Amino acid sequence: MAFLMKSMLSNQVKNLGLGGGGEESKEESTPSDPAAAAGMTREEYEEYQKQMVEEKMERDAAFAQKKAERACLRVHLREKYRLPKSELDENQIQMAGDDVGLPEDLQKMVAQDQEEEEDKDSILGQLQNIQNMDMDQIKEKAQATFTEMKQAAEQKCSVM
């Protein structure tokens, strides 16, 4: 309703010539050719537009590649921690092409993590963990647990 009133009033004001004509003179002063508006010749403007389109395509391709690398990282982490897979990540990887992999820095980090996990899982890694344990602390914990269990059993059992 407000739009209808505004358009009716503005049309009548334009007809009277009271301030409505300023907009028309602005429109007439601007050139219709975008090349002339940019201060270039027609050929220069077309070349400029081609460059802009090419740069946009390059940026879009680089962005899609980065998105695919991130998706690859998420897929790797999901596999590592046994989390459910995401179809969105797999689709992003397929859209960017199947040649997407982890960046080199992340590959090095993953390789180091895998080596550390393998060392911890091996028998030698377990033996090293045993050597690093504080035996006095373990004895104290065991004795405290034993005394707690003994006291709980005495409270529950009238024979003891």
Side-chain angles (χ1 to χ4, degrees):
M1 184 71 180
F3 173 74
L4 182 62
M5 292 297 289
K6 183 178 178 183
S7 65
M8 287 175 49
L9 288 175
S10 66
N11 286 339
Q12 289 184 6
V13 170
K14 286 180 186 177
N15 290 338
L16 292 174
L18 299 174
E23 293 177 8
E24 291 178 10
S25 65
K26 289 180 185 176
E27 290 176 5
E28 292 174 7
S29 66
T30 59
S32 61
D33 189 21
M40 297 184 235
T41 64
R42 189 79 163 146
E43 293 81 23
E44 290 174 342
Y45 185 74
E46 289 175 1
E47 184 66 29
Y48 173 73
Q49 289 296 327
K50 286 179 184 177
Q51 288 177 350
M52 295 299 289
V53 169
E54 289 174 4
E55 289 175 3
K56 184 179 184 319
M57 290 174 59
E58 289 174 5
R59 286 193 309 268
D60 290 345
F63 180 69
Q65 180 71 20
K66 288 289 184 184
K67 280 179 72 172
E69 287 177 359
R70 291 183 196 117
C72 186
L73 176 64
R74 287 191 297 271
V75 166
H76 175 75
L77 290 174
R78 283 192 177 104
E79 289 174 1
K80 179 179 179 181
Y81 295 110
R82 296 183 182 104
L83 298 173
K85 293 182 179 180
S86 171
E87 290 183 22
L88 179 65
D89 290 339
E90 293 174 2
N91 291 340
Q92 286 179 348
I93 292 171
Q94 288 177 356
M95 286 174 59
D98 291 331
D99 61 337
V100 177
L102 292 175
E104 292 179 22
D105 296 340
L106 292 176
Q107 287 178 353
K108 290 177 185 176
M109 291 172 55
V110 168
Q112 289 174 352
D113 287 345
Q114 286 178 347
E115 289 175 8
E116 289 175 6
E117 288 178 9
E118 289 173 1
D119 290 342
K120 288 179 184 177
D121 291 341
S122 68
I123 295 174
L124 293 175
Q126 296 296 330
L127 289 175
Q128 289 176 351
N129 285 340
I130 290 173
Q131 291 175 354
N132 294 336
M133 291 183 186
D134 185 14
M135 294 306 275
D136 293 331
Q137 185 179 12
I138 293 173
K139 286 180 186 178
E140 290 174 7
K141 283 184 182 180
Q143 287 176 349
T145 305
F146 180 73
T147 55
E148 287 177 11
M149 290 174 52
K150 186 176 177 182
Q151 289 174 354
E154 287 175 356
Q155 289 175 354
K156 291 182 181 179
C157 183
S158 60
V159 175
M160 293 182 102

